[in-house]
Amino acid sequence: MALGLRCFRLVHPAFCNSLAALTRPVSEVTLQTVRGRQNDHGQCMAYAAVPVRHFATKKAKAKGKGQSQTRMNLNTALVEDIINLEEVDEEMKSVIEALKDNFNKTVNIRTSPGALDNITVVTADGKLPLNQISQISMKSPQLILVNMASFPECTAAAIKAIRESGMNLNPEVEGTLIRVPIPKVTREHREMLVKLAKQNTNKAKDSLRKVRTNAINKVKKSKDKASEDTIRLIEKQISQMADDTVAELDKHLAVKTKELLG
Protein backbone atom coordinates (compact mmCIF):
# COMPACT_ATOMS: atom_id res chain seq x y z
CA MET A 1 0.00 0.00 0.00
CA ALA A 2 2.80 2.40 0.89
CA LEU A 3 4.56 1.57 -2.38
CA GLY A 4 1.36 2.35 -4.32
CA LEU A 5 0.99 5.76 -2.70
CA ARG A 6 4.60 6.61 -3.49
CA CYS A 7 4.11 5.71 -7.20
CA PHE A 8 0.96 7.82 -7.33
CA ARG A 9 2.84 10.84 -5.95
CA LEU A 10 5.42 10.48 -8.76
CA VAL A 11 2.89 9.96 -11.56
CA HIS A 12 0.34 12.56 -10.48
CA PRO A 13 2.37 15.72 -11.46
CA ALA A 14 3.28 14.22 -14.86
CA PHE A 15 -0.36 13.35 -15.53
CA CYS A 16 -1.50 16.89 -14.72
CA ASN A 17 1.20 18.43 -16.86
CA SER A 18 0.20 16.26 -19.81
CA LEU A 19 -3.37 17.51 -19.57
CA ALA A 20 -2.14 21.11 -19.50
CA ALA A 21 -0.02 20.55 -22.63
CA LEU A 22 -3.14 19.65 -24.64
CA THR A 23 -4.26 23.29 -24.59
CA ARG A 24 -0.93 24.82 -25.64
CA PRO A 25 0.27 25.70 -29.19
CA VAL A 26 2.30 23.19 -31.21
CA SER A 27 5.42 25.32 -30.93
CA GLU A 28 5.54 25.02 -27.16
CA VAL A 29 7.03 22.15 -25.25
CA THR A 30 6.22 21.69 -21.61
CA LEU A 31 9.26 20.93 -19.62
CA GLN A 32 8.71 19.98 -16.03
CA THR A 33 10.99 18.63 -13.42
CA VAL A 34 9.61 15.89 -11.35
CA ARG A 35 11.71 15.37 -8.32
CA GLY A 36 11.42 12.02 -6.74
CA ARG A 37 12.37 11.29 -3.23
CA GLN A 38 13.81 7.96 -4.18
CA ASN A 39 17.61 8.09 -4.16
CA ASP A 40 17.31 11.93 -3.93
CA HIS A 41 17.81 12.23 -7.76
CA GLY A 42 15.88 14.85 -9.80
CA GLN A 43 14.24 13.48 -12.94
CA CYS A 44 13.68 15.80 -15.94
CA MET A 45 10.73 14.82 -18.17
CA ALA A 46 9.66 16.62 -21.39
CA TYR A 47 6.13 16.47 -22.77
CA ALA A 48 5.53 17.57 -26.35
CA ALA A 49 2.35 19.54 -26.82
CA VAL A 50 -0.40 18.13 -29.02
CA PRO A 51 -0.51 19.83 -32.47
CA VAL A 52 -3.34 22.36 -32.85
CA ARG A 53 -4.61 23.41 -36.30
CA HIS A 54 -5.01 27.16 -36.60
CA PHE A 55 -7.68 28.13 -39.19
CA ALA A 56 -7.41 31.34 -41.19
CA THR A 57 -9.81 34.03 -40.10
CA LYS A 58 -12.04 36.00 -42.47
CA LYS A 59 -9.90 39.06 -41.81
CA ALA A 60 -6.73 37.25 -42.87
CA LYS A 61 -8.39 35.90 -46.02
CA ALA A 62 -9.66 39.35 -46.97
CA LYS A 63 -6.17 40.74 -46.51
CA GLY A 64 -4.75 38.15 -48.91
CA LYS A 65 -7.25 38.99 -51.65
CA GLY A 66 -5.96 42.52 -52.00
CA GLN A 67 -2.39 41.43 -52.69
CA SER A 68 -1.25 41.49 -56.33
CA GLN A 69 0.02 38.31 -57.95
CA THR A 70 3.72 37.89 -58.52
CA ARG A 71 4.75 39.21 -61.92
CA MET A 72 7.16 37.34 -64.11
CA ASN A 73 9.55 38.41 -66.80
CA LEU A 74 11.05 35.71 -68.99
CA ASN A 75 14.34 36.24 -70.74
CA THR A 76 13.32 36.49 -74.40
CA ALA A 77 16.68 35.12 -75.52
CA LEU A 78 16.03 31.85 -73.68
CA VAL A 79 12.76 31.15 -75.49
CA GLU A 80 13.45 32.64 -78.91
CA ASP A 81 13.61 29.16 -80.46
CA ILE A 82 9.99 28.70 -79.35
CA ILE A 83 8.51 32.16 -79.93
CA ASN A 84 9.74 35.71 -80.39
CA LEU A 85 8.18 37.55 -77.46
CA GLU A 86 9.46 40.88 -78.75
CA GLU A 87 7.41 40.45 -81.91
CA VAL A 88 4.36 39.57 -79.84
CA ASP A 89 4.93 42.69 -77.76
CA GLU A 90 5.17 44.82 -80.91
CA GLU A 91 1.90 43.37 -82.22
CA MET A 92 0.18 44.21 -78.96
CA LYS A 93 1.61 47.73 -78.97
CA SER A 94 0.36 48.20 -82.55
CA VAL A 95 -3.17 47.56 -81.27
CA ILE A 96 -2.74 50.44 -78.82
CA GLU A 97 -1.38 52.75 -81.52
CA ALA A 98 -4.25 51.87 -83.85
CA LEU A 99 -6.78 52.78 -81.15
CA LYS A 100 -5.03 56.08 -80.42
CA ASP A 101 -5.01 56.90 -84.13
CA ASN A 102 -8.69 55.99 -84.36
CA PHE A 103 -9.51 58.28 -81.43
CA ASN A 104 -7.62 61.17 -83.00
CA LYS A 105 -9.33 60.82 -86.38
CA THR A 106 -12.88 59.74 -85.65
CA VAL A 107 -13.71 60.47 -82.00
CA ASN A 108 -13.46 64.23 -81.61
CA ILE A 109 -15.81 66.98 -80.51
CA ARG A 110 -15.15 68.85 -83.75
CA THR A 111 -15.35 66.72 -86.90
CA SER A 112 -12.55 67.55 -89.36
CA PRO A 113 -11.99 66.53 -93.00
CA GLY A 114 -9.28 64.13 -91.83
CA ALA A 115 -11.90 62.19 -89.89
CA LEU A 116 -13.39 61.01 -93.20
CA ASP A 117 -10.11 59.98 -94.84
CA ASN A 118 -10.08 56.36 -93.75
CA ILE A 119 -13.79 55.61 -94.04
CA THR A 120 -13.90 52.38 -96.03
CA VAL A 121 -16.03 52.40 -99.17
CA VAL A 122 -17.10 49.16 -100.87
CA THR A 123 -16.50 49.53 -104.62
CA ALA A 124 -16.37 47.23 -107.65
CA ASP A 125 -12.58 47.15 -107.20
CA GLY A 126 -12.83 46.20 -103.52
CA LYS A 127 -12.74 48.19 -100.30
CA LEU A 128 -11.02 51.56 -100.66
CA PRO A 129 -10.48 54.54 -98.32
CA LEU A 130 -12.80 57.46 -99.08
CA ASN A 131 -9.88 59.86 -99.62
CA GLN A 132 -8.61 57.69 -102.52
CA ILE A 133 -11.79 58.03 -104.57
CA SER A 134 -12.78 61.60 -103.66
CA GLN A 135 -11.60 65.08 -102.76
CA ILE A 136 -12.46 66.05 -99.21
CA SER A 137 -12.48 69.69 -98.12
CA MET A 138 -13.85 71.96 -95.38
CA LYS A 139 -16.47 74.36 -96.75
CA SER A 140 -17.12 75.95 -93.37
CA PRO A 141 -16.81 75.04 -89.67
CA GLN A 142 -20.23 73.40 -90.01
CA LEU A 143 -19.84 71.69 -93.41
CA ILE A 144 -17.50 69.19 -95.12
CA LEU A 145 -17.63 68.63 -98.88
CA VAL A 146 -16.81 65.29 -100.53
CA ASN A 147 -16.33 65.62 -104.30
CA MET A 148 -16.92 62.31 -106.12
CA ALA A 149 -16.34 63.70 -109.65
CA SER A 150 -13.42 61.33 -110.28
CA PHE A 151 -15.47 58.25 -109.31
CA PRO A 152 -19.14 59.21 -109.76
CA GLU A 153 -20.19 55.53 -109.83
CA CYS A 154 -19.06 55.23 -106.22
CA THR A 155 -21.19 58.12 -104.92
CA ALA A 156 -23.97 55.95 -103.49
CA ALA A 157 -21.47 53.62 -101.82
CA ALA A 158 -19.62 56.62 -100.36
CA ILE A 159 -22.84 58.03 -98.87
CA LYS A 160 -23.62 54.67 -97.29
CA ALA A 161 -20.11 54.39 -95.83
CA ILE A 162 -20.31 57.89 -94.30
CA ARG A 163 -23.71 57.16 -92.73
CA GLU A 164 -22.47 53.85 -91.28
CA SER A 165 -19.15 55.24 -90.02
CA GLY A 166 -20.50 55.60 -86.49
CA MET A 167 -19.71 59.33 -86.39
CA ASN A 168 -23.37 60.42 -86.37
CA LEU A 169 -23.08 61.98 -89.83
CA ASN A 170 -26.02 62.47 -92.22
CA PRO A 171 -24.64 63.26 -95.70
CA GLU A 172 -26.66 64.96 -98.43
CA VAL A 173 -25.96 64.52 -102.14
CA GLU A 174 -26.02 67.06 -105.00
CA GLY A 175 -24.96 65.22 -108.15
CA THR A 176 -21.44 64.02 -107.46
CA LEU A 177 -20.99 66.36 -104.52
CA ILE A 178 -21.66 65.02 -101.05
CA ARG A 179 -22.39 67.60 -98.36
CA VAL A 180 -21.65 66.45 -94.81
CA PRO A 181 -23.10 68.74 -92.10
CA ILE A 182 -21.09 68.68 -88.87
CA PRO A 183 -23.25 67.82 -85.84
CA LYS A 184 -23.68 70.45 -83.15
CA VAL A 185 -21.73 69.92 -79.96
CA THR A 186 -24.59 68.89 -77.69
CA ARG A 187 -24.60 66.69 -74.62
CA GLU A 188 -26.20 63.94 -76.70
CA HIS A 189 -23.44 64.26 -79.30
CA ARG A 190 -20.75 64.00 -76.63
CA GLU A 191 -22.38 60.89 -75.15
CA MET A 192 -22.64 59.38 -78.62
CA LEU A 193 -18.90 59.91 -79.13
CA VAL A 194 -18.18 58.25 -75.77
CA LYS A 195 -20.25 55.28 -76.89
CA LEU A 196 -18.29 55.19 -80.15
CA ALA A 197 -15.00 55.32 -78.22
CA LYS A 198 -16.09 52.32 -76.13
CA GLN A 199 -17.07 50.39 -79.27
CA ASN A 200 -13.68 51.10 -80.84
CA THR A 201 -11.93 50.04 -77.63
CA ASN A 202 -13.84 46.75 -77.61
CA LYS A 203 -12.79 46.16 -81.22
CA ALA A 204 -9.19 46.82 -80.21
CA LYS A 205 -9.54 44.24 -77.42
CA ASP A 206 -10.86 41.73 -79.97
CA SER A 207 -7.75 42.34 -82.07
CA LEU A 208 -5.61 41.90 -78.98
CA ARG A 209 -7.26 38.57 -78.16
CA LYS A 210 -6.40 37.35 -81.65
CA VAL A 211 -2.75 38.28 -81.11
CA ARG A 212 -2.73 36.48 -77.77
CA THR A 213 -4.47 33.37 -79.13
CA ASN A 214 -2.15 33.13 -82.14
CA ALA A 215 0.91 33.46 -79.90
CA ILE A 216 -0.25 30.80 -77.43
CA ASN A 217 -1.19 28.42 -80.26
CA LYS A 218 2.31 28.84 -81.67
CA VAL A 219 3.81 28.01 -78.28
CA LYS A 220 1.65 24.89 -77.91
CA LYS A 221 2.96 23.62 -81.25
CA SER A 222 6.50 23.70 -79.83
CA LYS A 223 5.96 21.14 -77.04
CA ASP A 224 8.67 18.96 -78.55
CA LYS A 225 11.23 21.76 -78.03
CA ALA A 226 10.59 22.47 -74.37
CA SER A 227 9.21 20.99 -71.17
CA GLU A 228 5.61 21.41 -70.08
CA ASP A 229 6.73 23.74 -67.30
CA THR A 230 8.53 25.98 -69.77
CA ILE A 231 5.51 26.04 -72.08
CA ARG A 232 3.26 27.06 -69.18
CA LEU A 233 5.66 29.83 -68.17
CA ILE A 234 5.70 31.24 -71.70
CA GLU A 235 1.90 31.10 -71.91
CA LYS A 236 1.71 32.91 -68.57
CA GLN A 237 4.11 35.57 -69.84
CA ILE A 238 2.00 36.13 -72.98
CA SER A 239 -1.19 36.38 -70.90
CA GLN A 240 0.51 38.89 -68.61
CA MET A 241 1.55 40.98 -71.62
CA ALA A 242 -2.04 40.89 -72.91
CA ASP A 243 -3.40 41.96 -69.50
CA ASP A 244 -0.98 44.89 -69.43
CA THR A 245 -2.14 45.92 -72.92
CA VAL A 246 -5.80 45.74 -71.90
CA ALA A 247 -5.01 48.03 -68.96
CA GLU A 248 -3.35 50.46 -71.37
CA LEU A 249 -6.38 50.41 -73.70
CA ASP A 250 -8.70 51.11 -70.77
CA LYS A 251 -6.44 53.97 -69.71
CA HIS A 252 -6.69 55.64 -73.14
CA LEU A 253 -10.45 55.14 -73.12
CA ALA A 254 -10.72 56.82 -69.73
CA VAL A 255 -8.68 59.81 -70.94
CA LYS A 256 -10.77 60.13 -74.12
CA THR A 257 -14.03 59.83 -72.18
CA LYS A 258 -12.97 62.61 -69.82
CA GLU A 259 -11.99 64.76 -72.82
CA LEU A 260 -15.31 64.20 -74.60
CA LEU A 261 -17.54 64.83 -71.59
CA GLY A 262 -15.51 67.81 -70.48
Side-chain angles (χ1 to χ4, degrees):
M1 185 68 178
L3 180 61
L5 289 174
R6 177 176 295 182
C7 291
F8 177 76
R9 290 195 188 99
L10 292 175
V11 172
H12 180 265
F15 179 74
C16 293
N17 289 331
S18 297
L19 290 177
L22 294 175
T23 62
R24 298 181 185 177
V26 67
S27 59
E28 296 181 6
V29 175
T30 303
L31 184 63
Q32 296 291 340
T33 300
V34 180
R35 297 188 178 276
R37 296 180 180 177
Q38 188 174 12
N39 297 327
D40 294 327
H41 290 297
Q43 296 178 346
C44 183
M45 302 181 65
Y47 302 94
V50 176
V52 178
R53 182 176 180 180
H54 297 278
F55 293 93
T57 63
K58 292 183 178 179
K59 185 176 181 180
K61 292 180 179 179
K63 184 178 179 181
K65 289 183 179 179
Q67 297 177 350
S68 59
Q69 295 183 352
T70 303
R71 295 179 61 82
M72 59 179 296
N73 187 16
L74 288 179
N75 188 331
T76 56
L78 298 178
V79 298
E80 60 183 2
D81 58 331
I82 299 174
I83 190 171
N84 191 326
L85 290 177
E86 292 182 354
E87 289 184 359
V88 176
D89 184 55
E90 288 300 320
E91 289 185 59
M92 291 184 178
K93 287 181 179 177
S94 68
V95 174
I96 297 175
E97 293 303 317
L99 181 66
K100 290 166 61 177
D101 186 60
N102 178 278
F103 281 173
N104 291 332
K105 291 182 177 179
T106 65
V107 189
N108 292 302
I109 297 297
R110 298 290 182 182
T111 305
S112 63
L116 307 184
D117 287 349
N118 294 320
I119 290 179
T120 303
V121 181
V122 180
T123 70
D125 297 324
K127 296 181 179 181
L128 298 172
L130 182 59
N131 63 351
Q132 289 189 13
I133 59 176
S134 68
Q135 292 181 345
I136 305 174
S137 60
M138 198 82 173
K139 177 69 174 177
S140 70
Q142 291 78 36
L143 183 65
I144 297 176
L145 298 179
V146 181
N147 193 332
M148 301 293 299
S150 300
F151 295 88
E153 69 278 8
C154 298
T155 302
I159 293 174
K160 181 180 179 182
I162 294 172
R163 282 199 180 118
E164 297 177 354
S165 65
M167 291 188 286
N168 194 32
L169 301 175
N170 295 303
E172 304 168 354
V173 63
E174 295 179 1
T176 58
L177 185 65
I178 302 175
R179 300 165 60 86
V180 185
I182 298 175
K184 294 181 180 179
V185 183
T186 62
R187 183 67 182 180
E188 290 74 16
H189 180 56
R190 291 175 183 272
E191 291 175 351
M192 184 278 300
L193 290 176
V194 170
K195 183 178 179 180
L196 177 61
K198 290 180 180 178
Q199 292 174 349
N200 292 340
T201 302
N202 288 334
K203 290 180 181 178
K205 290 180 180 179
D206 289 338
S207 299
L208 176 63
R209 277 190 286 269
K210 291 180 181 178
V211 174
R212 176 185 177 278
T213 300
N214 292 337
I216 289 181
N217 287 340
K218 184 175 181 180
V219 171
K220 288 181 177 179
K221 292 179 181 179
S222 304
K223 288 186 176 181
D224 57 331
K225 298 181 181 179
S227 66
E228 292 184 3
D229 289 340
T230 300
I231 295 298
R232 280 195 294 269
L233 287 175
I234 298 175
E235 290 178 355
K236 184 176 181 180
Q237 176 70 37
I238 294 172
S239 295
Q240 180 177 292
M241 292 163 61
D243 291 342
D244 291 343
T245 305
V246 169
E248 191 71 17
L249 293 174
D250 287 336
K251 179 180 177 181
H252 286 293
L253 174 60
V255 172
K256 176 56 70 171
T257 299
K258 184 177 180 179
E259 172 190 322
L260 293 173
L261 296 179

